[in-house]
Amino acid sequence: MTATALMPRHPVPALNVALTDGSRFVLGAAPGECFDLVVFYRGLHCPICAKYLLELERLVPEFEKRGVQVVAVSSDDGERAHAMADKVKAGDIKIGYGLSLKSARQWGLYISASRGKTSIGIEEPALFSEPGVFLVRPDGTLYYGAVQTMPFARPQFQDLLGAVDFAIAHDYPARGEYAGSV
C-alpha cells in the first residue's frame, strides 16, 4: 500500500454515509458556514473513541456557534453505530456509519486488522479504520487534517475550537499546501 496524504487547499474525497438519525450525511450538500468537522473514529469496540466522542458531543454547540458542522463517522454497521450513539448520549453530534474501507483509504486513514475482543469486551471488526480529524471548507477543500495509526493522543477539540477562532478572525489560510520539489 502506498499512503497518500490529502493536500490542503485541494478537494477532499467524497463522503456519503448513513446517520443514526435515519438521514444521510453527504459532504458538501449542505456545508457548515465556515467548515465541516469530520471526525473518523475506530468504532464501538474502542473505549478511547467513546471518551473522545463524549467530549465532542459536549462541544458541538460551540463548534456550531462558529459555523462548523460536526459529524463523526466509522466503518461500523448500523447496529454498532446506534450503540455508540447511545453510549455517548448523542444529541447534537451526527453519528455516521458504513464508511467503506476503500473510502477510508482515500481519506488517508490507516486500516487495522482485528485482534479479537478489546479491554471492554467488544469484538473488533475484521478490518477497521484508525482515527482522523479533518476541517473541510464549504468549497470542499481541505483546511486541516490529522490522521493517526493508534487511538491514542488525538487532537483535542478544545484546542481545535481555538484554532477555528484564530483561522476565522485572521482569515488564516490552510497550510502544508506546497507540493513542489524540495
Side-chain angles (χ1 to χ4, degrees), residues 88-159:
V88 302
K89 298 172 181 59
D92 292 322
I93 189 172
K94 296 175 182 138
I95 304 286
Y97 62 92
L99 177 72
S100 74
L101 295 178
K102 180 179 179 183
S103 182
R105 259 239 174 110
Q106 290 170 341
W107 278 85
L109 302 178
Y110 292 91
I111 309 295
S112 289
S114 177
R115 294 183 43 96
K117 287 189 178 181
T118 63
S119 62
I120 57 173
I122 298 175
E123 189 77 24
E124 293 180 342
L127 296 172
F128 58 92
S129 63
E130 291 295 338
V133 176
F134 299 88
L135 281 172
V136 180
R137 289 231 183 242
D139 67 1
T141 59
L142 179 66
Y143 183 77
Y144 164 88
V147 297
Q148 296 162 258
T149 63
M150 292 269 194
F152 315 112
R154 301 177 197 202
Q156 295 301 301
F157 294 120
Q158 194 66 51
D159 293 343

Side-chain angles (χ1 to χ4, degrees), residues 2-180:
T2 304
T4 305
L6 299 183
M7 289 297 295
R9 303 185 194 176
H10 290 262
V12 297
L15 183 61
N16 181 340
V17 292
L19 296 173
T20 56
D21 70 4
S23 65
R24 293 196 73 77
F25 177 81
V26 180
L27 186 64
E33 179 185 341
C34 293
F35 298 105
D36 283 327
L37 173 59
V38 181
V39 177
F40 293 103
Y41 70 97
R42 301 171 85 219
L44 179 64
H45 64 276
C46 178
I48 297 170
C49 292
K51 183 178 176 188
Y52 199 54
L53 293 181
L54 278 165
E55 178 66 1
L56 182 57
E57 170 67 26
R58 186 181 73 77
L59 291 173
V60 166
E62 292 300 316
F63 280 105
E64 288 176 342
K65 285 180 193 173
R66 292 158 172 85
V68 180
Q69 176 176 223
V70 178
V71 64
V73 180
S74 77
S75 55
D76 274 350
D77 62 22
E79 183 178 335
R80 288 170 69 105
H82 280 90
M84 180 62 94
D86 290 345
K87 183 182 280 194
V88 302
K89 298 172 181 59
D92 292 322
I93 189 172
K94 296 175 182 138
I95 304 286
Y97 62 92
L99 177 72
S100 74
L101 295 178
K102 180 179 179 183
S103 182
R105 259 239 174 110
Q106 290 170 341
W107 278 85
L109 302 178
Y110 292 91
I111 309 295
S112 289
S114 177
R115 294 183 43 96
K117 287 189 178 181
T118 63
S119 62
I120 57 173
I122 298 175
E123 189 77 24
E124 293 180 342
L127 296 172
F128 58 92
S129 63
E130 291 295 338
V133 176
F134 299 88
L135 281 172
V136 180
R137 289 231 183 242
D139 67 1
T141 59
L142 179 66
Y143 183 77
Y144 164 88
V147 297
Q148 296 162 258
T149 63
M150 292 269 194
F152 315 112
R154 301 177 197 202
Q156 295 301 301
F157 294 120
Q158 194 66 51
D159 293 343
L160 204 50
L161 276 171
V164 166
D165 287 341
F166 183 87
I168 293 168
H170 299 282
D171 195 25
Y172 195 76
R175 302 311 313 262
E177 77 288 356
Y178 180 76

